[in-house]
Amino acid sequence: MIEFIKQPWPWYIAGPLIGLTVPTLLILGNKSFGISSSLRHICASCMPANIPFFKYDWKKEVWNLFFVFGIFLGGAIAINLLSNPNPIEVNPKLASELAGYGITNYNSLVPEDIMNWQSLFTLKGFLLMVVGGFLVGFGTRYAGGCTSGHAIMGLSNLQLPSLIATICFMIGGFIMANLILPIILSL
């Protein structure tokens, strides 16, 4: 059984399981699925500052913190007990393209050739990690939620703002992956 769990699950198993999160949360407590709101709850619980954005009853949303902790704990269990010891498989065409950018190490899920402490102090690393992280955070706040909240929960509830946000996420992802990222990787 453990060997079955260790294998990558096909989309037709993993996708419906993720999708079933929405009705489960709605049935169990009329709760909305989303990850980025948990950061707000953490800040509201920890920040003594008198910032209006964090002045709300965050204790009503403590379930979300347990949910996110469960995701973290599940990830930690998966990486420590269920990880595949084989190297990451990369399509040969993609591997040759990435080799042109100096990315050849596929020993982990994150390319260590560009995501490491030494790279952080280069222009490429700074753009990818710091500027990219800022833009993800800004975009999440500007869109009123993250990709999981909009694409999984919002679309399931037929919310027009979530449809617009998801379309924008996809367009931004295509532009980044095909136009901007090659320029940054070639720096």
Side-chain angles (χ1 to χ4, degrees):
M1 180 68 174
I2 198 79
E3 289 304 317
F4 172 74
I5 293 174
K6 282 185 173 186
Q7 300 303 314
W9 291 13
W11 65 268
Y12 52 85
I13 302 284
L17 286 175
I18 292 169
L20 287 173
T21 305
V22 173
T24 302
L25 287 173
L26 289 173
I27 290 169
L28 291 178
N30 199 25
K31 305 293 185 192
S32 293
F33 177 75
I35 302 302
S36 60
S37 58
S38 61
L39 181 60
R40 181 181 183 208
H41 304 323
I42 291 169
C43 291
S45 67
C46 297
M47 292 183 119
N50 202 10
I51 301 171
F53 182 70
F54 297 124
K55 291 214 130 316
Y56 66 95
D57 189 9
W58 61 269
K59 292 176 185 172
K60 288 183 179 178
E61 304 297 329
V62 74
W63 72 271
N64 188 267
L65 299 177
F66 284 106
F67 186 82
V68 171
F69 179 72
I71 292 172
F72 171 78
L73 187 62
I77 290 170
I79 199 70
N80 288 308
L81 301 178
L82 303 173
S83 62
N84 186 346
N86 300 326
I88 305 295
E89 293 180 27
V90 178
N91 184 297
K93 289 181 182 179
L94 178 61
S96 66
E97 182 180 344
L98 291 175
Y101 298 120
I103 301 170
T104 57
N105 183 350
Y106 307 116
N107 293 332
S108 65
L109 294 176
V110 177
E112 294 176 4
D113 296 320
I114 55 172
M115 295 293 186
N116 58 54
W117 286 107
Q118 293 80 20
S119 293
L120 178 62
F121 300 106
T122 65
L123 178 60
K124 179 182 0 181
F126 183 80
L127 289 172
L128 288 173
M129 292 182 256
V130 177
V131 175
F134 172 79
L135 290 173
V136 167
F138 175 80
T140 300
R141 180 68 191 119
Y142 186 74
C146 60
T147 52
S148 60
H150 281 297
I152 297 171
M153 187 73 188
L155 291 180
S156 298
N157 289 328
L158 304 176
Q159 296 178 6
L160 180 61
S162 290
L163 176 63
I164 294 168
T166 303
I167 290 170
C168 291
F169 294 151
M170 294 301 293
I171 291 171
F174 289 135
I175 291 171
M176 180 64 193
N178 293 298
L179 300 177
I180 301 171
L181 188 61
I183 294 170
I184 294 173
L185 289 176
S186 63
L187 292 176

